[in-house]
Every structure is written in structure tokens, then in C-alpha cells.
């Protein structure tokens, strides 16, 4: 399944993805001249932040549009269009970093295996992704809207992987990592303005709604707003029920 990203819309309306990731860079604690791979780098803001601390950063993303935008913004950083399931690098990086990207990768065993291989011995994998329960209310509203509007919900179009802490820790350990820290926490996330939820749905529900016409999609957006408004809208502000899985794992 291919996800089509609109890099402009992403930067204008969804820059919260990189802004919230800020403290993940603190957890990474990049050192001068370290080689760091940013997996799912998007439009490159966090790669830039890491590079500004003196590390030698390389960013990869499966979306070519995102990589073009990243390269235009930060010409001094090396960016490459690449799906992490086909990453073939061995013992090259001191750290692999990833923010809000791993949950888009359904072939997670492949991804973890390739990241393990790309790290040097003793290298660290520092990441945050959507975990179990992430956007559960939005997913519920999408499914209920389709149901009420008599539109078919197609399970295989669901594009995300939101694992429990235990499940992900096992995957990391099975690949050979020692998990140093791992936590799953709720992080309600503001979606800017009155149209915040709608903008989010336009940007991120493409995969789930790919079989529907534009007018059917419009009906879904409106229905989702109606269903979620009582609990997730206040003072002209929408909130999304994000849950983050954050970890540090070491290649020993
Ligand atoms: C997330 O960062 O959790 C996320 C963003 C967009 C779609 C799904 C999840």
C-alpha cells in the first residue's frame, strides 16, 4: 500500500508532529560527529535539529515528496527516498532515530531487523511512535461513520500499526536489542482551529477512504466531526487522543 503525502499541507498544518518530537532529540542526546540515521524523516525538521548539534545526519523517508521538501529546506543534509523495509546498510550508524513514523510501517519485523543491522555494535535506537490506543476515538468515528452512511469499511486499507508495549519490547528483543527504556503514555494533541479535525482527516485518512468518492469522503468528515465534537472539541480547538510508545534500545 502506498501512502501519498502532501508535503506542503504537512508543513503548514501538521508541523506539530515534529514540534512535539523535540524532547525526543534530548533523549537521543546526539554527540558531535556521530553518524545518525533519521528513519521516516518527513520534511527534515528534526534531522536539521540533530545536525545543528554537530551530528552527521542522514534522513530517509518512503515519500519522495517529503524528501524533495526536506532537501529544499536543508540542502546540507543528505536525504534519500527509501522504504525502511528495503534498507540494506550494515554497521554504519551510532544511532537510529525515528519520530512518528514507525507506526506507518506494517512490515515491522523487517524494519526492526534492518535498523539493527544498520547500527554499529553498541549503537542506540531511539524512537517514538503511535502505540496501543493511539487515535482510537478517531478510528472508531471513521468506522462508525462508514457504517452509518452504508459505506464499506475495508480492513486491509487500515494503514497503521499501534503495538502494545509488551509486543514491541518482544520484537526489539527478538531482533537482538537490549531495551533500556520503554514507555507508553497518553499525549492528547491539539489540532489547530475549528477545522483541525477535518484537516487531520484530509491529511491522514486517505488510505482508509481510498475506495470512496470525494463527496462520500466529505460526508465522512462531517459525520466524524459530529460524533467526536462532544468529547474532543472545546473553545474552538480539537484534541486528538494520541498515545505514544517511546523507547531506547541498544545493539549489544
Ligand atoms: C501519529 O503520529 O500518531 C499519527 C499521525 C497521523 C496518523 C496516524 C497517527
Amino acid at each position: 500500500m502506498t501512502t501519498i503525502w502532501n508535503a506542503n499541507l504537512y508543513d503548514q498544518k501538521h508541523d506539530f508532529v515534529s514540534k512535539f518530537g523535540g524532547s525526543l532529540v534530548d533523549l537521543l542526546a546526539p554527540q558531535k560527529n556521530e553518524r545518525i540515521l533519521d528513519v521516516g524523516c518527513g520534511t527534515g525538521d528534526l534531522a536539521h535539529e540533530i545536525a545543528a548539534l554537530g551530528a552527521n545526519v542522514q534522513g530517509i523517508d518512503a515519500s519522495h515528496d517529503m524528501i524533495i521538501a526536506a532537501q529544499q529546506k536543508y540542502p546540507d543534509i543528505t536525504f534519500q527516498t527509501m522504504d525502511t523495509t528495503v534498507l540494506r546498510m550494515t554497521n554504519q550508524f551510532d544511532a537510529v532515530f525515528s519520530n512518528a513514523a514507525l507506526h506507518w510501517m506494517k512490515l515491522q519485523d523487517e524494519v526492526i531487523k534492518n535498523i539493527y543491522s544498520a547500527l554499529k555494535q553498541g549503537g542506540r535506537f531511539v524512537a517514538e511512535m503511535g502505540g496501543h490506543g493511539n487515535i482510537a476515538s478517531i478510528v472508531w468515528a471513521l468506522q462508525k461513520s462508514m457504517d452509518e452512511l452504508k459505506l464499506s469499511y475495508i480492513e486491509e486499507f487500515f494503514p497503521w500499526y499501534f503495538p502494545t508495549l509488551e509486543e514491541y519490547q518482544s520484537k526489539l528483543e527478538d531482533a537482538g536489542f537490549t531495551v533500556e527504556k520503554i514507555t507508553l503514555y497518553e499525549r492528547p494533541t491539539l489540532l489547530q482551529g475549528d477545522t483541525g479535525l477535518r484537516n487531520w482527516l484530509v491529511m491522514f485518512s486517505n488510505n482508509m477512504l481510498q475506495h470512496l468518492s470525494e463527496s462520500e469522503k466529505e460526508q465522512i468528515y462531517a459525520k466524524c466531526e459530529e460524533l467526536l465534537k462532544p468529547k474532543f472539541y472545546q473553545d474552538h480547538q480539537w484534541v486528538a487522543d494520541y498515545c505514544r510508545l517511546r523507547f531506547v534500545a541498544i545493539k549489544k
Side-chain angles (χ1 to χ4, degrees):
M1 187 189 309
T2 320
T3 300
I4 309 291
W5 292 93
N6 176 335
N8 280 335
L9 183 64
Y10 184 86
D11 259 2
Q12 286 160 22
K13 303 255 196 268
H14 302 281
D15 60 343
F16 66 80
V17 175
S18 52
K19 285 193 176 141
F20 271 120
S23 62
L24 189 64
V25 175
D26 292 344
L27 187 63
L28 173 70
Q31 304 298 305
K32 270 207 167 55
N33 300 321
E34 273 191 324
R35 281 202 72 197
I36 299 181
L37 178 68
D38 182 354
V39 165
C41 62
T43 53
D45 293 345
L46 293 179
H48 169 68
E49 201 176 312
I50 297 165
L53 294 168
N56 177 358
V57 187
Q58 191 171 336
I60 59 168
D61 201 292
S63 159
H64 190 54
D65 280 359
M66 289 287 186
I67 290 297
I68 302 268
Q71 198 68 79
Q72 269 168 4
K73 279 161 79 178
Y74 308 114
D76 294 341
I77 299 176
T78 304
F79 293 103
Q80 203 179 348
T81 305
M82 191 186 291
D83 185 328
T84 314
T85 55
V86 298
L87 174 71
R88 296 282 179 270
M89 296 191 200
T90 316
N91 299 327
Q92 291 198 26
F93 295 96
D94 299 291
V96 173
F97 172 87
S98 183
N99 179 51
L102 294 170
H103 54 253
W104 290 95
M105 304 174 196
K106 285 199 150 175
L107 298 176
Q108 201 61 219
D109 293 330
E110 278 301 299
V111 167
I112 295 174
K113 185 177 81 160
N114 293 346
I115 287 172
Y116 185 87
S117 165
L119 281 166
K120 297 177 188 168
Q121 210 67 34
R124 60 204 188 281
F125 179 20
V126 179
E128 185 175 294
M129 66 192 287
H132 184 68
N134 196 46
I135 57 160
S137 300
I138 298 179
V139 171
W140 165 80
L142 280 163
Q143 289 171 338
K144 183 147 177 69
S145 302
M146 287 189 238
D147 190 41
E148 287 190 12
L149 295 162
K150 307 262 178 293
L151 299 167
S152 54
Y153 169 70
I154 300 176
E155 184 71 44
E156 70 191 77
F157 291 167
F158 185 84
W160 304 299
Y161 168 64
F162 298 135
T164 62
L165 183 154
E166 294 75 16
E167 183 184 342
Y168 208 77
Q169 176 157 359
S170 294
K171 280 194 188 297
L172 289 166
E173 288 171 349
D174 288 350
F177 281 107
T178 298
V179 178
E180 210 166 64
K181 291 185 187 138
I182 185 162
T183 175
L184 177 67
Y185 62 100
E186 290 179 12
R187 199 206 52 208
T189 296
L190 291 179
L191 306 176
Q192 291 165 29
D194 282 324
T195 55
L197 178 67
R198 196 184 183 285
N199 293 337
W200 191 98
L201 291 167
V202 170
M203 179 81 196
F204 297 120
S205 68
N206 276 332
N207 298 73
M208 275 176 89
L209 308 183
Q210 63 188 270
H211 56 302
L212 304 179
S213 68
E214 287 311 307
S215 81
E216 288 168 336
K217 287 182 195 170
E218 286 299 331
Q219 290 177 60
I220 301 260
Y221 304 151
K223 186 54 105 183
C224 284
E225 286 183 326
E226 182 191 317
L227 290 166
L228 293 172
K229 201 158 199 166
K231 196 161 164 209
F232 295 97
Y233 180 76
Q234 218 181 355
D235 300 330
H236 302 280
Q237 199 76 63
W238 287 91
V239 177
D241 52 343
Y242 277 31
C243 296
R244 307 329 270 171
L245 182 64
R246 180 180 271 220
F247 60 87
V248 178
I250 310 294
K251 177 172 177 174
K252 286 257 163 91

